[in-house]
Amino acid sequence: MKKNVIWRTIVVFMLASMLVSACAPAATPAPTAEPAKPAEPTKAAEPAAAEPTKAPEPTKAEAAAPTAAGEFTFGIVMVGPYNDHGWSEASYLAGQYVEKMVPGTKMIYIDKVNSADRPGTTGDQLAEELVSKGAKLIVFNSDDFKDASVEFKKNNPTIPVLHISGDLAWKDGKNYKEMEGYSNLMSQMEYGEMIGGCAAALTTQTGKIGYVGPLINDETRRFANATYLGAKHCWETYAKKDPKDLKMKVTWIGFWFNIPGVTADPSTVSDDFLNSGHDVLISALDTMEALVQTKKAVDGGKKAWAVAYDYKDACNEAPDVCLGVRYFNWGPGYVKAVKAVMDGSFKSYWEWAAPDWKDINNPDTSAMGFNKGKGLSEENAKNLDAFIGELAGGLNLWTGPIKWQDGTDFLKDGEKATDQQIWYQPQLLEGIEGLSVAP
Amino acid sequence: MKSGSRWYRFGIQVAAVVLALVFTSIILLIAKAQPLEAYKNILVGSFSSIEAITNVIVVWIPLLLASAGALVTFTAGLWNIGIEGQITLGAISTTLVLRLLQHSDVSPAIIIFLAVLSGFIGGALWAALAGALKTYGGVNEIFGGLGLNFVATAMTIWLIFGPWKRPGIGSMSGTEPFANTLWLPTIPGLRLSWWSLLIGILALVLVYVLLSNTHFGLKLKAVGKNRKAASVFGIPTSNFMMSAFLICGGLAGLAGALQVLAVYHRLIPSISSGYGYLGLMVGMLINYQAIWAAPVAFFFAALNFGSIQLPIVMKLDSSLSGVLQGALVLFVLMMDGVRKRFEKKA
Amino acid sequence: MKVELRSIHKYFGPVHANNNISLTILPGTIQGIVGENGAGKSTLMKILSGFIQADEGEILLDDQVITIHSPSDALKRGIGMLHQDPLDFPPMKVIDNLLIGQEGGLFPNKRKVAADIKKLANQFGFSIDTEAYVEGLTVGERQQLEIIRLLWMGARILILDEPTTGISASQKEKLFETLTRLASEGMIVIFVSHKLEEIETLCHRAAVFRGGLLVGEAIQPYHTDDLVRLMFGKPMELGSRLGCHSEENVVEIHNLEIEDPRLHIRDVDLDVKAGEVIGLAGMEGSGQRLFLRALGGLLATTGRTKLLVKGHDLTHEPYSSYLKTGVAYVPADRMEEGLIPGLTLKEHFILTGDTKKLFIDQEESLHRTKVKISEFNIKGRPDSYVEELSGGNQQRALLALLNEPLSLVLLEHPSRGLDLESTIWLWEKLKERCKTGTAVIFISSDLEQILHYSDRILVFFGGKVSKPMLAAETNVDQLGQLIGGKGFVN
Ligand SMILES: Nc1ncnc2c1ncn2[C@@H]1O[C@H](COP(=O)(O)OP(=O)(O)OP(=O)(O)O)[C@@H](O)[C@H]1O
Ligand SMILES: [Mg+2]
């Protein structure tokens, strides 16, 4: 009898902890995010931070306040935690940007929308929750919501949808689907990738770059390939080295961020890179394991650097090893969508938003940017700027000859890629080590 | 005496619920949140509209199946912690059948029927594994079950990233969604499928009848209460334990099948959604009484679904519902212990 | 130390188990407690030893009113109780069982404890293997272990609730010797028993319970008839030997061989006639239980064993075939093997009834249960949980669960926990079965009973088995010698 009671108690604890942990495995990014918070106020005083940004204030009171009459509420469905210092936080910042730029608007959001963090729910269902809280526009912030956004649109035809990073609204795309009030927005991050690749190639001493990739699809292959093109260009043009000596390897973890037990562990992936002679890591994840692990390695005596992703202040996590961050600036795109919905002109469109080549870091005009990090030497920074200048001047790295990984032609000599060719990339490029498709 | 003690027991249960609420409130206060507001939000979130209520029912159905299964194994004195994995295997088996037949000429209704059946069988077989480990290998079902849960997750991931990956994509987010024709039809405009609801309720009723009114159920209970004596009574205890595992696994498998057919329409990594663990908690909370499974599971489902409001409205983590559920079970068990002590003295 | 109980009342629902009991026990006394089944003896003992609490009344220890909250509380005050059904942790070693109850010391000195226990056990002539697993011990051995444990834990008031069921005559003698010595040292012994001769030889005083009341007290020397009359309200007479066997063989045993880590039984041949009663005598653990279990299909035999029941060869058959052939086994540890705590009487009767149909016929089974309850005079309701029944009533339930017709009934200590009247009644019941051709084989540590009711007797010693003896032609002394090992050739 006694024994039974003890068993029961043990089992309850086990079950409870399983449940609580099952509900929040992505609490993992949260802890890394939390300690970084206090750094934010000081950051403003730090000259290294390129852009004086508003710290993302926890907006508890504001969010809980009921929607006032006449206010326009838009909802964001985020795949990761709103404060992940990565992909989802970039969306969160954009939401705040909208609130600032378009008076009378209010953001509501639900974050961590993935089956591991919110078991038993679906993206479209949670979007409906936002609608029931007054949202008049739903932004799905991840490629992962492609199906959910369609399902949502089907069941809620009157609510405008902005799906980030998809192609369903692209009339000339492969997957066009006619849906009224369903739009896509994606930044031309290829350029950011090229710049990041360039910074990596300029800095690497071993000639080995490790690319910590998320899952495998057209988009992620596109970005990995762009990185490689940027790296190769700078390796030849600025470092004046033989392209044969440049090695780039991609390892995919299986999702946009770490889901313990489900994806490969990005920390382990990073460590493996660092331990096998790769001295620059490029993160393509929503979270910052690559940067963190690099810093650990450097603290342990290694010479290594990392390129961060997604969120403009990501370098703050480990400034000294950070070569820079290519980041999304969704603000202008969001503002455009919100304004359109507000004045009733929201239509189905597909926007592949370009950087503002006059100043790629202009928060009001550029869809993406690159924030140099402290880890980038002065000389390399100069070369990087030169490269950005080249791009601004019209340099097109998607110019043949370029071969696929399997040796077949992507672009013949002198051939320039079409938008479709850039968007839909079936393989990694020749010269990149790693899986082009899932095994 | 009888009715008096029933009221008394009821009072004790109420006290346990109150204690659990107090406990959770303290945690909320520590997290600097208003407990009352949090509870209000959960309630509103679960019951404010027909959509919300049907969404709660969507959660309720797999929970019902898992709880009903848990009851069967509890009765046999077994902690089938492997329900989670059994749900997963049910989902995998269902997906398998759907994938095999989706492009064939077989009519969708038959495909769906076969898929549900296959889910049942898949879950049952997975449970049989835990059962065999327990009855023939002497491996405690808790450890066996936990191990098999991990294996089941690993299998899902392997399938999603490997053989069943979406064309050109390598992502953990799930397999290619099935065509609409292979979805269990839902009530127009809602997420609830009458079929799922029917299966869930039928399963619970069957389990209730099985446990309370059949010789099989009574024998199962005998095995659970005193295995040695049961075998002296001529009950083949190993067979009965295996049957309990099979039934429980089958029901869990059905839950998995419905998750695929009516909720996600594809296989995703955490298709079991923690319902297995939650189902066990429900089983413990109701102390083997099948009658209570429906309302308690509904309550848990409402907590699960309503707690989505917390991150939206209050920026609180929704795993709070897990805390509240855990606290409930703990306090109910604790108060039960207190009551027993008390009754002994009285 | 002096114990005084004042106006103790205890209710279990509608049952008034103790009704205004007052009893004073002086230091150095061995106090006997007798009374019919369900009279409230165990209840009072449990109150004194802290397992349950009285609803009304006071307990005084050396004229001080005390409240006893729990068994460990009682033990702290020097009150220790040996239960009717041992309360130990079967899957553990003896030594660990001992250490569990011990206070203090995170790292117990196992060796010293083991030595202490050995020493104590020797004083009583018990042999206790501290490294053995408790589940391997017989009920008797477990009782011995419990007595030793209580003394070792410093009990000054020792309550023994029917301790003598499982132990042999010589062990009993040793036990009584020790109890007497303990009493002479000023300890109090409270001794609950149904065996009046034990009360007569051992106890200084005896209190008689009936229907929850303390109906009388007696002091040495007793008049047995008076005690019996106090207990039952009428005098009692033992029934006669059943003597109803025929010439037809029900059971044939050839070359029976059983291997057990402790014993090796070999080459037993025996034919049992329909209606015959065979008694198995011997010290606990001499092999009679193994023998009985093997006949019941609960233990595998080895070697060239051949076992036929009603002509069916059951040698390597599963237990279910034994059941089908009409072999029934009534174990001694009734709460572990015999009954299922947590199930009601009715549920037990459903289980032993016809279970082939899918659904339970609730009405039919309720009716059957009621019939059985009244037929076997069980103090309990159909929805009583078996663990709520008094020891004797559990035993009755156990017997009531036997199906009919049966070819062979195997009983371990059938009268364990039964009062005199019930014992007589039990044998009447068995006699009815014998008349219909059922053979009975039983184990008992009560030689009188064996001699009185058996047709033939087998004596076990260290795994050896004597030739069957006609009960009518032997006597207690002869049996006693055989039990002690004299007369066994190798
Ligand atoms: N836990 C319980 N719940 C309900 N009734 C009980 C409980 N324990 C004992 N009783 C009832 O109280 C009465 C006295 O029981 P008790 O065990 O004291 O009898 P006893 O004198 O020890 O009998 P026996 O000689 O058979 O052991 C019985 O009628 C029994 O059914
Ligand atoms: Mg008793």
Side-chain angles (χ1 to χ4, degrees), chain C residues 418-462:
Chain C
L418 292 185
D419 60 34
L420 190 56
E421 189 186 24
S422 307
T423 307
I424 294 167
W425 162 88
L426 159 78
W427 283 105
E428 286 302 320
K429 284 273 161 204
L430 288 174
K431 198 191 265 181
E432 284 168 23
R433 294 209 176 247
C434 288
K435 280 191 187 134
T436 64
T438 307
V440 173
I441 304 180
F442 75 103
I443 296 176
S444 176
S445 52
D446 183 343
L447 291 186
E448 301 279 357
Q449 202 179 121
I450 289 194
L451 278 168
H452 195 92
Y453 293 110
S454 317
D455 296 309
R456 287 188 291 165
I457 300 171
L458 294 183
V459 180
F460 285 71
F461 178 77

Side-chain angles (χ1 to χ4, degrees), chain B:
Chain B
M1 145 90 193
K2 257 254 139 100
S3 69
S5 88
R6 194 162 282 170
W7 279 113
Y8 170 66
R9 279 175 189 220
F10 184 72
I12 294 260
Q13 302 278 19
V14 170
V17 174
V18 170
L19 276 176
L21 283 173
V22 169
F23 174 81
T24 316
S25 303
I26 292 172
I27 289 188
L28 278 168
L29 286 174
I30 291 172
K32 300 212 170 56
Q34 272 297 319
L36 283 183
E37 201 198 327
Y39 299 140
K40 193 197 88 192
N41 276 315
I42 291 179
L43 273 180
V44 169
S46 331
F47 299 111
S48 56
S49 65
I50 187 80
E51 284 86 5
I53 293 173
T54 49
N55 280 335
V56 170
I57 297 177
V58 168
V59 179
W60 184 48
I61 291 163
L63 207 49
L64 260 189
L65 287 162
S67 313
L71 275 176
V72 176
T73 37
F74 270 139
T75 304
L78 298 165
W79 292 100
N80 182 14
I81 220 161
I83 300 186
E84 195 72 14
Q86 290 145 24
I87 296 178
T88 307
L89 258 288
I92 290 178
S93 313
T94 299
T95 310
L96 177 71
V97 167
L98 291 178
R99 288 183 68 90
L100 287 178
L101 299 178
Q102 60 182 345
H103 301 304
S104 69
D105 307 330
V106 184
S107 89
I110 292 177
I111 297 180
I112 289 176
F113 174 77
L114 290 176
V116 171
L117 190 70
S118 156
F120 182 88
I121 294 170
L125 289 183
W126 201 246
L129 220 54
L133 281 174
K134 161 84 179 179
T135 37
Y136 307 115
V139 181
N140 184 310
E141 72 276 15
I142 296 186
F143 302 118
L146 278 180
L148 287 170
N149 286 354
F150 282 113
V151 176
T153 310
M155 232 162 112
T156 322
I157 289 162
W158 173 71
L159 285 168
I160 291 176
F161 205 71
W164 291 354
K165 62 175 177 284
R166 305 174 75 158
I169 294 180
S171 166
M172 286 307 166
S173 72
T175 59
E176 184 86 27
F178 293 107
N180 283 22
T181 48
L182 294 179
W183 298 12
L184 267 185
T186 56
I187 303 167
L190 299 173
R191 284 198 170 67
L192 179 61
S193 155
W194 286 123
W195 290 102
S196 302
L197 187 60
L198 187 74
I199 291 177
I201 290 179
L202 213 61
L204 182 69
V205 171
L206 282 179
V207 164
Y208 173 76
V209 171
L210 188 75
L211 294 185
S212 64
N213 243 324
T214 66
H215 286 113
F216 178 87
L218 183 60
K219 286 181 183 176
L220 210 57
K221 191 169 162 192
V223 171
K225 297 276 183 197
N226 187 345
R227 200 169 301 161
K228 227 166 155 187
S231 69
V232 174
F233 271 74
I235 301 170
T237 51
S238 301
N239 292 358
F240 270 79
M241 281 168 18
M242 280 304 280
S243 312
F245 271 115
L246 283 173
I247 295 174
C248 178
L251 294 176
L254 279 182
L258 296 181
Q259 287 289 95
V260 171
L261 283 164
V263 181
Y264 289 107
H265 311 119
R266 59 190 167 130
L267 186 63
I268 60 166
S270 30
I271 189 88
S272 53
S273 308
Y275 293 147
Y277 299 125
L278 215 51
L280 277 176
M281 299 249 257
V282 171
M284 275 179 172
L285 199 58
I286 61 181
N287 194 22
Y288 313 133
Q289 296 157 290
I291 292 222
W292 288 99
V296 173
F298 190 83
F299 177 59
F300 272 36
L303 276 181
N304 253 32
F305 183 74
S307 66
I308 300 285
Q309 300 300 318
L310 300 180
I312 297 179
V313 183
M314 297 176 73
K315 308 287 167 272
L316 286 172
D317 202 305
S318 62
S319 55
L320 184 80
S321 66
V323 173
L324 183 55
Q325 286 155 345
L328 263 176
V329 178
L330 269 185
F331 279 106
V332 166
L333 289 185
M334 207 176 82
M335 292 304 284
D336 203 45
V338 170
R339 174 181 64 81
K340 280 194 183 127
R341 286 214 112 171
F342 212 70
E343 276 177 5
K344 239 167 135 197
K345 294 210 172 132

Side-chain angles (χ1 to χ4, degrees), chain C residues 23 38-39 48-49 79 99 106 158 175-176 186 313 317-318 321 342 366 413 471 477:
Chain C
L23 185 64
L48 184 54
S49 58
I79 306 173
L99 293 172
L106 189 56
L158 199 57
L175 172 67
F176 283 10
D313 186 349
E317 292 292 305
S321 313
L366 180 63
H413 302 288
D477 286 341

Side-chain angles (χ1 to χ4, degrees), chain A residues 2 41 50 88 92 95 106 111 118 131 146 155 190 202 224 254 262 277 280 312-313 322 344 358 363 430 438:
Chain A
K2 274 244 172 65
S88 289
Y92 181 76
K106 192 170 99 60
D111 64 348
R118 305 223 180 273
V131 171
K146 188 166 158 182
N155 297 331
E190 301 71 57
L202 293 173
V262 174
V280 180
K312 66 163 77 165
D313 292 324
C322 191
K358 283 199 270 320
E430 192 179 60

